[in-house]
Amino acid sequence: MSPLPLPARWALLLGLSVLFTTPLRLAGLPASILIGPMLAGIVMSVSGRSVRIPEVPFALAQGVLGALIASVLTSAILTEVFHEGPLFLAGVLFVIVAATCSGFVLARLGVMPGTTALWGSSPGAATAMTLMSEAYGGDMRLVAFMQYARVLCVAISATVVARLWGHAANGAVTHGGAGSWRALIETVVVIAVGVAIARRLHRPAAQLMLPLILCVALQDTGMLVIALPSWLLIVAYTILGWGIGLRFTPAIVRHAAKSMPFVLLAIGCLMAVSGIMAAILVRWEHVTPLTAFLATSPGGEDTVAIIAASCPDVNMSFVMAMQTVRFVLVLFTGPGLARLFARWLA
């Protein structure tokens, strides 16, 4: 196989990204704008036609993700949490504990190495968990495999349940507002400043977390309106997908394929545990079964948002509050859990 020149490899990477992303978008999978480029990167890397993603664009793409997370952390979420009470928080923690136990079992059985099992089992924040895992001892490639396998399983199951209990419509979720050009420029400046400081600090996951913290602080004080138009998110997620996919090797692909049955079994068990928690919420919180199922689904927040918004008998605020609270807890407790996990496995 003769090596392709660099421009041809970039063109092939872009073409494969479009090829993989298009059917996923048509199928209504919100994570398609990351999964498609990631699959393209895997094909390029495994076939020996890899390219190198520069560090600065990859860091800025992480900063955009941090701003995206910040855009959903509003005071309305806290209001809903306080309104729902302790059982609501118990439901969130129940799923997180179940996911942690699942990761521990996978690690003990040798299905996944070290803390990779924990990061890959974390319920929600799939992209953030994938990016943070490398800084805390996990294998980003295998974490991505586990996370997006679960996103796909949750998307399928949630769609089927909604078809049985409701009327889910096809559609897409857009994150962040297009906003004015001024808001967009201000958002980009905050992201760039946060990434620049993070690169100097050399702290784990700082390129994601520092822009997130800055955006939350400025948003809550009214000094910033986070504006993330679709084109910016597409560019950022494409770069992130390439950055993950191009790290794959034939050995990693073989490991992922070999572990697939165990990973799918763990996902099934986690979804079953989430279903038990959903039944408890139906009994004690007096929400509809579909509302409880969507609220406790382990990950795939975008997919859950699509289905919840299209079903009239779903309590949208309850669903998204529980999903978002779990998202935030997983995001901020992940590093500490990873350190504990490493000690347990030592």
Side-chain angles (χ1 to χ4, degrees):
M1 180 178 60
S2 59
L4 289 175
L6 186 58
R9 278 181 278 160
W10 275 108
L12 181 58
L13 177 62
L14 184 59
L16 287 174
S17 298
V18 174
L19 181 65
F20 287 131
T21 302
T22 300
L24 296 176
R25 291 287 286 175
L26 292 176
L29 184 64
S32 59
I33 58 174
L34 185 137
I35 294 177
M38 185 175 71
L39 292 175
I42 293 173
V43 170
M44 293 287 292
S45 181
V46 172
S47 65
R49 296 186 174 94
S50 185
V51 297
R52 181 178 176 275
I53 302 297
E55 291 184 9
V56 172
F58 191 67
L60 289 172
Q62 293 182 61
V64 171
L65 177 61
L68 175 60
I69 296 170
S71 69
V72 302
L73 302 182
T74 63
S75 57
I77 295 296
L78 293 176
T79 301
E80 183 68 24
V81 172
F82 288 126
H83 174 72
E84 294 299 339
L87 186 58
F88 177 93
L89 291 175
V92 173
L93 294 173
F94 188 72
V95 175
I96 293 176
V97 170
T100 303
C101 293
S102 173
F104 185 77
V105 171
L106 287 176
R108 277 296 187 190
L109 292 177
V111 176
M112 288 292 168
T115 58
T116 297
L118 173 68
W119 291 106
S121 300
S122 296
T127 307
M129 292 298 99
T130 299
L131 294 171
M132 291 175 67
S133 63
E134 188 175 46
Y136 291 95
D139 188 315
M140 179 190 290
R141 300 159 297 186
L142 292 175
V143 171
F145 158 67
M146 294 177 66
Q147 285 286 345
Y148 291 105
R150 192 181 68 250
V151 166
L152 184 59
C153 290
V154 169
I156 293 172
S157 65
T159 301
V160 170
V161 170
R163 296 290 182 187
L164 295 175
W165 288 341
H167 301 282
N170 293 326
V173 172
T174 55
H175 289 290
S180 65
W181 279 105
R182 177 178 176 179
L184 173 59
I185 292 171
E186 290 174 347
T187 301
V188 170
V189 168
V190 172
I191 292 171
V193 170
V195 168
I197 297 173
R199 285 171 61 81
R200 290 182 174 274
L201 293 177
H202 302 291
R203 300 291 298 174
Q207 293 166 157
L208 168 70
M209 298 301 293
L210 191 55
L212 187 160
I213 293 169
L214 289 176
C215 286
V216 167
L218 293 174
Q219 178 180 245
D220 286 352
T221 57
M223 298 175 65
L224 176 69
V225 175
I226 299 174
L228 297 170
S230 297
W231 63 264
L232 180 59
L233 292 176
I234 290 172
V235 171
Y237 271 84
T238 298
I239 293 172
L240 292 175
W242 287 345
I244 296 168
L246 289 167
R247 297 169 187 250
F248 274 72
T249 64
I252 289 294
V253 172
R254 287 194 296 270
H255 187 110
K258 183 179 179 180
S259 64
M260 176 70 81
F262 299 97
V263 171
L264 291 179
L265 179 61
I267 292 170
C269 291
L270 180 58
M271 291 173 65
V273 169
S274 300
I276 294 173
M277 190 65 228
I280 295 173
L281 290 176
V282 170
R283 173 67 178 83
W284 295 102
E285 286 285 336
H286 306 294
V287 295
T288 65
L290 184 55
T291 296
F293 179 85
L294 294 175
T296 57
S297 291
E301 184 179 9
D302 287 351
T303 303
V304 169
I306 290 173
I307 298 170
S310 61
C311 296
D313 59 340
V314 168
N315 184 336
M316 183 70 171
S317 61
F318 183 93
V319 170
M320 295 315 297
M322 180 167 279
Q323 287 281 341
T324 303
V325 169
R326 191 178 70 229
F327 176 95
V328 173
L329 285 177
V330 166
L331 187 68
F332 285 96
T333 61
L337 280 175
R339 284 188 281 268
L340 285 174
F341 210 70
R343 284 201 289 268
W344 290 342
L345 294 174

